[in-house]
Amino acid sequence: MLLFYILFPLFVALGITIVSSKIRREFLGWIAFSVPVVLFALFARHIPTISSSEAIRTTFSWIPSYGIDLTFLLDGLSLIFVLLITGVGALVILYSIYYLSSKDSFAHFYTYLLLFMTAMLGVVLSDNIIVLYVFWEFTSISSFLLIAFWFHRKNSRNGAIKSLLITMSGGFTMLAGFLMLHVMTDSFSLRVILAELPQLTDHTLFYPAMALLLIGAFTKSAQFPFHIWLPDAMEAPTPVSAYLHSATMVKAGIYLIARFTPGFGGDVYWFWVITCVGLVTLFWGSFNAVRQNDLKALLAFSTISQLGLIMTLLGIGSAGINPAIGEAKGLYTFALFTALFHLVNHSTFKGSLFMVVGIVDHQVGTRDLRRLGGLMRFLPFTFLLAMIGSFAMAGLPFFNGFLSKEMFLTAVLSIGDLPIYGGAQVGWLLVLVAWLASVFTFVYSMILVFRTFTGRPIVDEEYKVPQEASLGMLIPPGILGVLAIGLFFFPNLLSDYLLKPAVEVLVEDGAALAPKIYAWHGFNTELFLTLGIITLGIVAYLLLRKWRPYYQYIPSNWTFNTLFRSTLSGYERLGERVTMRYMNGNLPSYFLYIFSFFIIVMWTTWWIVGPINVTFDSPSSMTVYEGLLAVVMAAAAIAILFAHSRLTAILLNGVLGFSIAIFFVFFRAPDLALTQLVIEAVTTILFLVCFNYLPEWKVEKLSITKKVRNGLIAIAGGLTVTIVGLAVNNYTKFESISSFYENSYELAGGRNIVNAILGDFRAFDTMLEGLVLFIAGIGVFTLIRMRQKKGAEPRENQ
Amino acid sequence: MKLINLVVLPIIVPLFIGTVLLLFRKSLLAQRALGLFGAAATLVVSLFLLAKVAEDGIQVVTLGSWAAPYGISLVSDMLSILLVATASLLTLLVLWYSVYSLGEKRELSFFYPATLFMLTGINGAFTTGDIFNLFVFFEVFLMASYVLIALGGERIQLRESMKYIIVNVVAAALFVITIGYLYSITGTLNMADLAVKLGDIGSMGVISTVAIMFLVVFGIKAGIFPLYFWLPGSYYAPPLPVLALFGALLTKVGIYSITRVYTLIFTTDVAFTHDMLMMLAIATILFGSIGALAYMDVKKIIIYNIVIAVGVILFGVAAFNEVAVTGSVLYLIHDMLVKALLFLMIGVLIFITGKTNLREMGGLIRHYPVLGWTYLVAVFALAGIPPLSGFAGKILILQGGLEGGFVWQSIVVALSTMVVLLSAIRIFIYAFWGAEKSFNSPPKAKYVNRMIPVVILFVITMGYGVFIEFLMPLFQATGTQLMDSSLYIDAVLGGEK
């Protein structure tokens, strides 16, 4: 059943591709819209079951031989995510029907979007980590396709490839981490792994696996310093940004970390790495959001920052898993609970804000803050929605953001009380960072609303007089806005049905330990911090003109973005330089490589496994004639190097060949000697015949260093081969198979062993060598024929 | 039919039909029909043999009934027959593609017989159980490849074929010397017998030395670091169908040979020999990765991807446990399929645009959506994105690597995937998405003709990924046979028939 839920969008996507040319484009949108609506209803049906802490499971086989099965599990944690995926998905698709222009390809858009929906559902429902990884990569791919939806724009293509590179690198590292988990637990099932992990903290792969997993999660959820892809991903159509790059896909990393909290949580590194990365991201995102002029870029950094906030909460909350935590467990379960609460809240207000920005862009034609202002009177409803979203994001009362922001402050304050990990010493610093980040958050939220909608109206002929957006574009953000307010007044409804069952998945007794949410908890530190944020935020916003210009003094080439770009282009340049350097297409260099490599590996071998035994005592002693002949051959070979004409070289080469024939005579192999003589005679004669047609013999001009180098390599190469030859020479442990052939007359009816071997025992070799000659003949024939035709075939075809 | 000699057929059938083809050297129709028939027939007999091996285990034929180790044994184990079947399949599809693309003059220059002879050599090399016979088969397919690389005789082809020949002649000389040394130690050439005798001796310096010499010899063919320098230039020269054959098949013979000798024969000093292989595999991945991003030429990009894959496959062999080796074989076959596919696709791309430089291409997706999207999916398959064809192999290689304790090396392998992806997807982004540039816009019918074999190969490759479970028993058997060499040895030496 779950598999059907997951694949449903995919099937519809395929259907859309097939029928796209036959039906009206808007209709495609409505078909696509029906998918998440139906799925939302189907998933919502399970809320009662899941809230009583049960889970739904289905299994199908895929590669059972290696334990890779399609097992899906719907529990409290997954439920929150699937409802977000389908709920926000429905709203976004509805919105997009009115947002896309008539020039855009609806079929492609909805195909990708539904593909993404399947992938994302798969990620949060898979129990098998390999299947999870499969879907994980599919979210990256569909995101890649959606960012490049307007692929004719260069920025879209660049943004797409950048996000693909970063998230997929993370995916591959995560896969390596998953495989380590498999090696540790011998299972691909999340449940099994999570159950066994706490006992495996001493395993050598425990920390490597954790690190790789975290990199995967951080890249996906745009955590510092991997956040750089998210602003560039804003080249995507706005509905996509609202859906993938704010509400769902970027939360996959958060899902992963939440999912693995029962396994890794309770470890000190897990706690500090996630908390610190989260806090740095929170701060860095909000700090940078303030300087943006593009509304979508502002929202992108704001998303980064908010993801950091959720991450921080997950980090803090992981302390609750540690058994040493004792009484304080409730306090840290509180952090996990808040993480999930804020996750939902963020989706509501950020989703609506993206849609608002989309409306502005759509109706006005720009989203550049410097050219916007006073839109309130033209777009009153949009303004209202923008206010709701921004105030919720800033953490003002009467919006859901207020609740989770207060709870976040509580959680950060609780680090100071941490009995383990040495949290008490640095707790105040973390509070300060979180507080500062919140001030920045407040400021950019105000920028978003007031810079866009208040102030002087724009009088620019370039733009049409903006009109309020159509109902279809207002309803989806409207629903999210109503939710943002509704959750402030009835938070415990959400808590009881969705959040508590999810916390139960993360921590034992989580549901019991989860707090009841109150808007008012008296005059405590959190409230004063919030008041401070608002006060300082208002002051900072009013004085914005005074301090915002200082941003430009931050060196622009010291960012991670520059680092990424220069690494990539540097890598390409380096690759080109290195490659061109050794791939010079020069035959002598090739030999240099072969022989140097050969010599190096051989001597390395002897260096490592110890020298090999070289003996000079031969079973048969060498005669004077043999010695003389060897000297002659050596002399001839060396002389070739110094030959000044081709004729000399050929004749010297002949000397070598004929000497080998004489050796055969010495070793009483007359047939071989005869063959060798014939071959030598023929080749030498052929050479001489061709002589006339060959170009001038050119002596290579080489510098003396190169000559010495080449000479040394040649000598070392010869020496190496000789040493091995001497070493293997005396090895007589086994009887050679040749003794079998000595019986050739009885076996094969031939008195001559060589003939019997060639013609019978190993006739197959002989036949194939015949084939080799035959093919060589064909080759020569084609080349000659081509020459007769003067020149080559033109290659018009490939 | 007596099935006992089935082992010989994938070698003999292309040899025979190739020879017959020489009789009709002026008839285009006969060349095409018989050429395709030859490859198809080879495929059919290999599939028969595959079924036989899957059912009855390793098949052995001792030629001339001279009992092993005295005669030449042909041995079809799972690894061998899987490669033979894949090679035959790819030859068939590439020949089909050539019919539409090579041009009549080249087709009539012994293209079809030379290709079939090359298949003879390749299938023989995959099958033989005799180390000297392996050398002979190497000569056969190399000689055929010399003919193919020069086919048509353009200037660049003649220049590159010269280098190719000379490098290979040197490698061949080293090969013979190495065999001579090995024979001098053991007095035998039969691989199973070699395994037994070297097993008796145990770890010894001189044997490790010879093992490394074989690594150098086969490394030149396989294209491992730093011995692949000849490969990009030589592979670049011939027409695309030939390039596809070379890229998909030739380096794989080198990989096969390394795998064979390093799982069957040289297993007495694994700590040294396989560590050396591991180092070289990692270096191959790194340098291949450097090269793949250095070029904007579509052919060069894919050629460097061959090198990376060689490293990844040998990494699994070097890790030397059943999971990793099984993964290597899975990945090896995936790589053969997907490389052939990519080369053919690049061929269509070059045909459409008339260019090979990416910077001069753009905006093709509107006009050629099928090519564009299949190419994108093929790139994801190449990178091993699940559930496509590279995935299962890669995951097993990594898992085996981790089980063998090669942690950072496994991470290098995982990350090399990014380079593969980036380099190949660039082609998609530039050529299909980029701003529209002028191109040839050849007649639609010619485009469609070429796309038929491409799409068929595409479907096969994708099926190899998604439905891998159906083939999994074969690969598990391969892994078992490779890691338990006694199965091979008993089949050759024990069960004399």
Side-chain angles (χ1 to χ4, degrees), chain A residues 113-126:
Chain A
L113 212 61
L114 291 173
L115 177 71
F116 168 76
M117 205 178 285
T118 286
M120 196 63 211
L121 288 174
V123 167
V124 298
L125 288 174
S126 299

Side-chain angles (χ1 to χ4, degrees), chain A residues 62-63 65-66 138 172 182 571 582 585 591 606 721 728 736-737 741 760 762 765 774 792-793 795 797-798, chain B residues 22 66 70 101 105 130 133 153-154 163 181 183-184 187 209 228 237 293 386 399 417 450 466 469 472:
Chain A
W62 179 27
I63 314 181
S65 332
Y66 281 91
F138 265 90
F172 288 125
H182 175 72
Y571 181 78
Y582 69 88
F591 287 121
W606 295 331
V721 175
V728 298
S736 164
I737 52 168
Y741 303 129
D760 196 340
R762 298 185 66 96
D765 282 343
F774 187 55
E793 314 278 351
R795 187 188 325 187
N797 293 324
Q798 281 284 357
Chain B
L22 295 174
W66 297 111
Y70 307 109
S101 72
K105 299 235 172 82
D130 184 286
N133 193 235
E154 280 171 66
K163 294 182 201 164
Y181 288 167
Y183 179 76
S184 182
T209 308
Y228 61 78
L293 285 180
Q399 190 188 322
T417 309
R450 279 156 212 252
V466 180
E469 175 60 23
M472 221 54 208

Side-chain angles (χ1 to χ4, degrees), chain A residues 268-591:
Chain A
V268 57
Y269 292 104
W270 180 264
F271 175 88
W272 281 118
V273 169
I274 298 178
T275 307
C276 291
V277 168
L279 268 178
V280 170
T281 312
L282 166 66
F283 175 78
W284 189 245
S286 64
F287 176 72
N288 274 293
V290 174
R291 74 185 295 190
Q292 303 303 321
N293 282 319
D294 177 357
L295 279 175
K296 271 185 92 173
L298 185 149
L299 284 182
F301 278 103
S302 140
T303 304
I304 291 170
S305 159
Q306 299 282 317
L307 291 169
L309 187 152
I310 301 173
M311 214 47 108
T312 312
L313 285 167
L314 285 175
I316 298 172
S318 75
I321 314 289
N322 194 317
I325 197 81
E327 290 298 302
K329 184 172 181 181
L331 200 54
Y332 298 95
T333 309
F334 178 84
L336 289 177
F337 177 83
T338 311
L340 297 172
F341 185 38
H342 194 72
L343 177 93
V344 176
N345 292 344
H346 176 247
S347 295
T348 57
F349 63 70
K350 190 55 66 62
S352 82
L353 281 177
F354 264 108
M355 293 184 193
V356 163
V357 169
I359 291 175
V360 171
D361 195 8
H362 196 259
Q363 305 301 111
V364 183
T366 181
R367 37 173 220 251
D368 189 333
L369 273 175
R370 286 165 298 193
R371 308 162 87 169
L372 289 171
L375 286 176
M376 193 162 56
R377 72 175 66 164
F378 305 113
L379 308 169
F381 294 109
T382 314
F383 170 59
L384 185 68
L385 293 170
M387 264 208 319
I388 297 174
S390 301
F391 289 177
M393 183 157 72
L396 292 177
F398 310 113
F399 302 101
N400 55 0
F402 172 75
L403 298 176
S404 44
K405 193 59 142 301
E406 290 265 286
M407 292 163 76
F408 164 67
L409 291 171
T410 313
V412 179
L413 283 169
S414 73
I415 300 180
D417 304 330
L418 195 63
I420 44 175
Y421 305 156
Q425 286 88 328
V426 287
W428 63 271
L429 181 71
L430 305 182
V431 174
L432 182 68
V433 174
W435 188 77
L436 270 178
S438 303
V439 174
F440 280 111
T441 307
F442 185 88
V443 173
Y444 72 69
S445 304
M446 296 307 117
I447 293 178
L448 177 64
V449 190
F450 294 112
R451 281 298 200 82
T452 316
F453 290 96
T454 64
R456 257 178 313 119
I458 33 155
V459 267
D460 199 335
E461 296 85 51
E462 220 179 294
Y463 303 120
K464 51 194 174 186
V465 174
Q467 291 183 332
E468 185 58 280
S470 63
L471 210 55
M473 282 173 88
L474 286 172
I475 288 175
I479 293 174
L480 290 172
V482 169
L483 273 175
I485 298 172
L487 283 176
F488 175 79
F489 292 104
F490 309 104
N492 291 310
L493 211 60
L494 178 77
S495 162
D496 289 341
Y497 283 105
L498 291 177
L499 302 182
K500 282 185 182 169
V503 175
E504 181 71 29
V505 174
L506 301 187
V507 200
E508 229 173 297
D509 300 329
L513 289 167
K516 201 160 169 56
I517 307 170
Y518 297 105
W520 175 255
H521 11 229
F523 292 99
N524 54 8
T525 326
E526 292 88 317
L527 186 69
F528 289 117
L529 285 176
T530 306
L531 288 178
I533 292 168
I534 297 175
T535 321
L536 191 67
I538 292 175
V539 173
Y541 175 70
L542 293 176
L543 298 177
L544 198 58
R545 271 174 228 290
K546 294 264 189 300
W547 58 276
R548 200 156 165 247
Y550 286 102
Y551 270 107
Q552 64 185 318
Y553 294 110
I554 301 172
S556 65
N557 49 1
W558 278 40
T559 60
F560 284 96
N561 227 342
T562 322
L563 184 70
F564 175 82
R565 222 170 341 166
S566 55
T567 310
L568 206 61
S569 65
Y571 181 78
E572 281 175 26
R573 261 203 316 278
L574 175 89
E576 200 169 342
R577 249 208 329 268
V578 171
T579 311
M580 298 306 166
R581 176 131 204 170
Y582 69 88
M583 298 301 267
N584 53 10
N586 193 352
L587 200 54
S589 310
Y590 288 0
F591 287 121

Side-chain angles (χ1 to χ4, degrees), chain B residues 431-452:
Chain B
F432 290 97
W433 273 356
E436 205 159 304
K437 305 254 166 67
S438 69
F439 47 85
N440 282 350
S441 50
K444 202 82 186 167
K446 284 195 173 180
Y447 163 73
V448 173
N449 277 341
R450 279 156 212 252
M451 282 307 282
I452 294 170

Side-chain angles (χ1 to χ4, degrees), chain A residues 735-744 753 757, chain B residues 70 183 187-188:
Chain A
E735 197 192 356
S736 164
I737 52 168
S738 62
S739 54
F740 174 81
Y741 303 129
E742 279 166 16
N743 221 356
S744 66
I753 299 187
I757 292 176
Chain B
Y70 307 109
Y183 179 76
T188 186

Side-chain angles (χ1 to χ4, degrees), chain B residues 58-196:
Chain B
I58 301 174
Q59 298 293 305
V60 182
V61 166
T62 325
L63 293 164
S65 291
W66 297 111
Y70 307 109
I72 295 172
S73 303
L74 295 180
V75 188
S76 251
D77 65 347
M78 276 318 298
L79 172 66
S80 154
I81 186 59
L82 281 171
L83 290 172
V84 166
T86 314
S88 309
L89 171 75
L90 291 176
T91 307
L92 174 64
L93 288 170
V94 173
L95 283 182
W96 185 352
Y97 179 89
S98 314
V99 167
Y100 301 117
S101 72
L102 196 63
E104 285 184 21
K105 299 235 172 82
R106 276 196 169 88
E107 284 183 87
L108 286 176
S109 307
F110 301 106
F111 168 70
Y112 294 97
T115 308
L116 288 178
F117 290 148
M118 191 166 87
L119 185 61
T120 304
I122 290 170
N123 283 351
F126 287 148
T127 309
T128 184
D130 184 286
I131 196 96
F132 185 77
N133 193 235
L134 179 68
F135 166 76
V136 176
F137 275 118
F138 264 67
E139 289 301 296
V140 172
F141 77 74
L142 281 174
M143 191 51 80
S145 74
Y146 301 153
V147 175
L148 287 174
I149 201 172
L151 191 78
E154 280 171 66
R155 212 182 159 75
I156 172 176
Q157 285 182 288
L158 295 179
R159 191 182 67 222
E160 291 301 329
S161 64
M162 205 54 213
K163 294 182 201 164
Y164 177 74
I165 291 172
I166 293 180
V167 167
N168 275 302
V169 165
V170 171
L174 200 55
F175 196 175
V176 177
I177 292 175
T178 312
I179 292 176
Y181 288 167
L182 189 60
Y183 179 76
S184 182
I185 297 171
T186 59
T188 186
L189 294 169
N190 184 295
M191 293 200 232
D193 200 27
L194 281 168
V196 173

Side-chain angles (χ1 to χ4, degrees), chain B residues 130-455:
Chain B
D130 184 286
I131 196 96
F132 185 77
N133 193 235
L134 179 68
F135 166 76
V136 176
F137 275 118
F138 264 67
E139 289 301 296
V140 172
F141 77 74
L142 281 174
M143 191 51 80
S145 74
Y146 301 153
V147 175
L148 287 174
I149 201 172
L151 191 78
E154 280 171 66
R155 212 182 159 75
I156 172 176
Q157 285 182 288
L158 295 179
R159 191 182 67 222
E160 291 301 329
S161 64
M162 205 54 213
K163 294 182 201 164
Y164 177 74
I165 291 172
I166 293 180
V167 167
N168 275 302
V169 165
V170 171
L174 200 55
F175 196 175
V176 177
I177 292 175
T178 312
I179 292 176
Y181 288 167
L182 189 60
Y183 179 76
S184 182
I185 297 171
T186 59
T188 186
L189 294 169
N190 184 295
M191 293 200 232
D193 200 27
L194 281 168
V196 173
K197 293 206 164 131
L198 291 185
D200 284 354
I201 299 174
S203 169
M204 202 175 86
V206 70
I207 294 171
S208 303
T209 308
V210 174
I212 296 300
M213 285 180 77
F214 270 113
L215 187 56
V216 174
V217 168
F218 295 138
I220 295 176
K221 304 277 190 280
I224 63 171
F225 171 83
L227 300 170
Y228 61 78
F229 47 80
W230 59 270
L231 190 148
S234 310
Y235 279 20
Y236 192 85
L240 239 134
V242 176
L243 167 59
L245 282 176
F246 282 21
L249 304 181
L250 286 196
T251 52
K252 307 308 187 272
V253 185
I255 295 178
Y256 161 81
S257 309
I258 292 177
T259 311
R260 182 62 84 203
V261 299
Y262 272 63
T263 54
L264 179 64
I265 303 178
F266 299 111
T267 53
T268 48
D269 190 12
V270 174
F272 172 72
T273 49
H274 288 59
D275 272 11
M276 180 73 106
L277 182 61
M278 174 65 75
M279 261 169 45
L280 291 174
I282 295 293
T284 309
I285 294 174
L286 292 178
F287 276 81
S289 301
I290 289 176
L293 285 180
Y295 292 94
M296 287 302 269
D297 184 295
V298 288
K299 284 204 271 180
K300 278 273 161 69
I301 291 173
I302 307 292
I303 288 174
Y304 273 94
N305 270 301
I306 297 179
V307 177
I308 302 178
V310 169
V312 172
I313 297 164
L314 290 179
F315 167 84
V317 176
F320 201 56
N321 55 48
E322 194 164 325
V323 178
V325 170
T326 310
S328 280
V329 180
L330 262 169
Y331 198 80
L332 173 59
I333 299 208
H334 143 76
D335 196 56
M336 293 168 79
L337 293 170
V338 82
K339 286 285 149 59
L341 176 63
L342 285 175
F343 277 122
L344 295 186
M345 284 177 160
I346 295 295
V348 179
L349 188 64
I350 296 172
F351 168 66
I352 292 169
T353 57
K355 317 218 162 69
T356 61
N357 191 324
L358 269 186
R359 291 198 184 86
E360 299 167 21
M361 302 182 189
L364 294 174
I365 193 79
R366 283 186 206 286
H367 307 277
Y368 300 96
V370 176
L371 179 65
W373 293 119
T374 48
Y375 177 80
L376 185 66
V377 176
V379 169
F380 287 133
L382 175 76
I385 304 290
L388 304 170
S389 59
F391 177 60
K394 187 155 256 172
I395 201 169
L396 290 184
I397 289 178
L398 286 176
Q399 190 188 322
L402 288 173
E403 279 174 16
F406 302 100
V407 175
W408 69 266
Q409 291 94 331
S410 303
I411 295 174
V412 169
V413 172
L415 286 181
S416 74
T417 309
M418 279 324 293
V419 179
V420 170
L421 181 69
L422 179 62
S423 66
I425 211 167
R426 272 211 307 209
I427 298 180
F428 179 79
I429 290 187
Y430 276 85
F432 290 97
W433 273 356
E436 205 159 304
K437 305 254 166 67
S438 69
F439 47 85
N440 282 350
S441 50
K444 202 82 186 167
K446 284 195 173 180
Y447 163 73
V448 173
N449 277 341
R450 279 156 212 252
M451 282 307 282
I452 294 170
V454 172
V455 169

